[in-house]
Amino acid sequence: MDAEFVSFVRHRGDHHLKTAVLLTGDWHTAEDLVQSCLGKLYRVWHRLDTSSDPDAYLRRILVNTYRSWWRARWRREIPRAELPELPGPGDVGDTRAVAEDVRKALARLPARQRTALVLRFFADLPEAEVADLMGCAPGTVKTHTHRGLQAMRRLISPDTLVNRTEDEGSGIR
C-alpha cells in the first residue's frame, strides 16, 4: 500500500468520518460511506496530484457517493409501525446531549439542506466550493443553507445552548 495514502488516512480520516456522520446522521452508515470512498480514492491515488489538496477530492467523493446512496435508499427503506426507544437527553452529559440534539435535527432535514449545512459550517467551505460539490449554483446553496438553518431553529429547543461563547448569549445563528 502507498505510504503517502496511509499517512493521509491516518491524519485526515477522523475529520472525514465526522463529516460523513453529519451527512448521513448515522455513525455506522458514515463508517461505510468513508470506507467506500477511501476505496475509490485509493484506486485513483497514483494519478492524483497529492501535493495540492486530497481533502477536496475525498470530500467530492463523499458527497457524490452519499448522494447516490440517498437516491437509492428510498427503495430499501422499510416503514415501521413503532419507532424504537431512544435515550433521553438526561442519559448523557450536557455536551453530548446538545451534540445529539443537533445530529437529530440534522437527520430530519432534507439531504440537500443537510449537505449544505455540513459543508458550509462543519467543513467551513465557501459557498462557491459547496455549490461545486453539490452540483448547483451558489444561490441554491444559500437557499438550502437559509432553509436548513430555519428548520434547525424550529427543531432544536430554544432552551438548548448551541454555539455558546463567553461574551455572547447562546442560540443557533
Side-chain angles (χ1 to χ4, degrees):
M1 203 176 259
D2 189 332
E4 197 175 336
F5 179 78
V6 171
S7 175
F8 170 73
V9 172
R10 283 195 179 127
H11 289 94
R12 298 297 295 158
D14 285 343
H15 171 75
H16 290 290
L17 179 59
K18 290 174 186 175
T19 302
V21 167
L22 293 173
L23 281 174
T24 63
D26 176 65
W27 185 266
H28 301 291
T29 305
E31 287 178 331
D32 292 343
L33 177 62
V34 170
Q35 184 174 3
S36 174
C37 293
L38 286 173
K40 291 177 182 181
L41 180 64
Y42 183 69
R43 284 193 290 270
V44 297
W45 187 260
H46 65 282
R47 293 183 302 189
L48 290 179
D49 175 17
T50 55
S51 63
S52 60
D53 189 14
D55 282 325
Y57 195 80
L58 183 55
R59 251 193 317 272
R60 179 172 294 280
I61 295 172
L62 276 169
V63 170
N64 289 340
T65 303
Y66 175 63
R67 188 182 332 168
S68 70
W69 287 8
W70 179 78
R71 286 179 181 155
R73 188 185 73 197
W74 69 270
R75 289 180 240 134
R76 295 189 309 251
E77 285 186 355
I78 301 170
R80 303 277 184 220
E82 294 180 30
L83 294 175
E85 284 291 323
L86 298 174
D91 295 344
V92 293
D94 289 343
T95 304
R96 289 187 179 180
V98 170
E100 182 66 21
D101 288 346
V102 171
R103 279 193 298 275
K104 284 180 183 178
L106 274 172
R108 292 183 61 191
L109 295 179
R112 298 208 23 111
Q113 287 178 11
R114 180 174 49 247
T115 302
L117 290 177
V118 169
L119 293 176
R120 282 287 290 130
F121 300 112
F122 179 75
D124 199 27
L125 298 177
E127 289 167 348
E129 192 171 342
V130 174
D132 185 47
L133 284 169
M134 291 178 65
C136 63
T140 305
V141 171
K142 290 178 185 179
T143 300
H144 286 308
T145 302
H146 176 72
R147 290 180 182 163
L149 286 174
Q150 283 182 323
M152 293 288 285
R153 288 182 183 108
R154 285 191 308 272
L155 293 170
I156 297 177
S157 167
D159 300 332
T160 303
L161 301 176
V162 179
N163 290 344
R164 184 178 180 187
T165 64
E166 293 177 23
D167 299 335
E168 50 187 284
S170 62
I172 300 173
R173 290 175 204 32

